[in-house]
């Protein structure tokens, strides 16, 4: 990559990161290219040259956001950590993601947009599933996951969680205390209704 290409890549990355920052407080329909250009300190022409439209810019920005999240996930899995430490990391990252972006926006981009949904699903199948399998197998080998729980069962629950995320986000959006409700949902997902397995 030559100097011009590096500068172009940096400008494009800055525009996308600025877009994601603005989407934390702006509704998609109200956010204008002019607003993004001003916040990113670039011209509107520059944005149109790189992305063509506001819709394309938002789509590329969200894909870059997903890519960064997956890369962090991959780096985390390379660390020698316990299952509890990894779970804590996942909970914190999920909370950060849903707390920083309005639930309605996440639903619009991840669920309602078919092309984006298919992209995320492909990333999940190709990159996240192998890592989740690795995590579960390491957890079972280390005695951190009950031998009663199979890898397939864990992955099925994760898939069910993803498929119902649209309805869940709708419920979160309507809840008075969004942060506490999200924390409850994450707790149920990772630890179950009882919090721990009852003694036999």
């Amino acid at each position: 990559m030559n100097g011009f290409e590096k500068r172009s890549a940096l400008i494009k990355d800055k525009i996308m990161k600025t877009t994601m920052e603005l989407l934390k407080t702006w509704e998609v329909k109200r956010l204008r290219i002019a607003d993004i250009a001003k916040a990113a300190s670039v011209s509107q022409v520059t944005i149109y040259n790189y992305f063509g439209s506001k819709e394309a810019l938002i789509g590329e920005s969200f894909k870059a956001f997903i890519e960064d999240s997956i890369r962090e996930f991959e780096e985390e899995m390379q660390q020698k950590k316990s299952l509890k430490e990894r779970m804590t990391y996942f909970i914190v990252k999920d909370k950060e993601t849903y707390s920083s972006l309005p639930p309605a926006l996440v639903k619009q981009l991840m669920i309602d947009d078919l092309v984006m949904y298919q992209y995320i699903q492909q990333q999940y199948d190709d990159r996240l599933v192998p890592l989740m399998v690795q995590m579960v197998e390491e957890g079972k080998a280390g005695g951190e996951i009950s031998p009663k729980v199979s890898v397939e069962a864990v992955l099925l629950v994760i898939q069910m969680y993803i498929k119902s995320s649209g309805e869940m986000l709708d419920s979160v959006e309507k809840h008075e205390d969004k942060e506490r409700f999200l924390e409850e949902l994450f707790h149920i997902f990772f630890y179950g209704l009882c919090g721990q397995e009852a003694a036999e």
Side-chain angles (χ1 to χ4, degrees), residues 12 15 33 44-58 60:
K12 188 174 181 180
I15 294 170
I33 289 292
Q44 295 183 52
V45 173
T46 298
I47 293 179
Y48 281 113
N49 285 340
Y50 280 123
F51 301 98
S53 67
K54 185 183 83 170
E55 292 71 25
L57 168 57
I58 291 174
E60 288 300 310

Side-chain angles (χ1 to χ4, degrees), residues 31-49:
L31 184 61
R32 303 172 304 163
I33 289 292
D35 302 313
I36 299 170
K38 181 178 179 180
S41 300
V42 300
S43 70
Q44 295 183 52
V45 173
T46 298
I47 293 179
Y48 281 113
N49 285 340

Side-chain angles (χ1 to χ4, degrees), residues 66-166:
I66 294 296
E67 177 62 32
D68 287 343
S69 299
I70 293 175
R71 192 178 302 112
E72 286 185 29
F73 185 96
E74 291 171 336
E75 291 173 357
E76 179 68 18
M77 285 300 298
Q78 291 174 4
Q79 306 296 319
K80 296 297 181 181
K81 294 184 177 182
S82 67
L83 179 65
K84 184 176 181 180
E85 289 173 323
R86 286 175 173 170
M87 288 293 194
T88 300
Y89 167 82
F90 298 147
I91 292 172
V92 170
K93 290 303 296 182
D94 276 348
K95 287 183 68 176
E96 286 178 355
T97 298
Y98 290 119
S99 296
S100 64
L101 296 176
L105 172 66
V106 178
K107 179 178 181 293
Q108 178 181 341
L109 293 176
M110 293 182 65
I111 308 299
D112 297 339
D113 185 328
L114 180 59
V115 174
M116 185 63 72
Y117 176 82
Q118 291 174 338
Y119 167 79
I120 294 172
Q121 187 65 48
Q122 190 68 48
Q123 295 300 308
Y124 173 81
D125 292 340
D126 294 346
R127 299 170 66 183
L128 294 184
V129 169
L131 292 175
M132 294 300 294
V133 169
Q134 174 189 333
M135 183 184 74
V136 175
E137 290 178 340
E138 289 178 359
K140 290 173 71 70
E144 297 176 284
I145 294 180
S146 169
K148 299 178 183 178
V149 181
S150 67
V151 173
E152 292 80 8
V154 175
L155 294 181
L156 176 60
V157 171
I158 292 173
Q159 189 65 35
M160 290 169 60
Y161 184 83
I162 291 173
K163 287 184 177 180
S164 64
S165 60

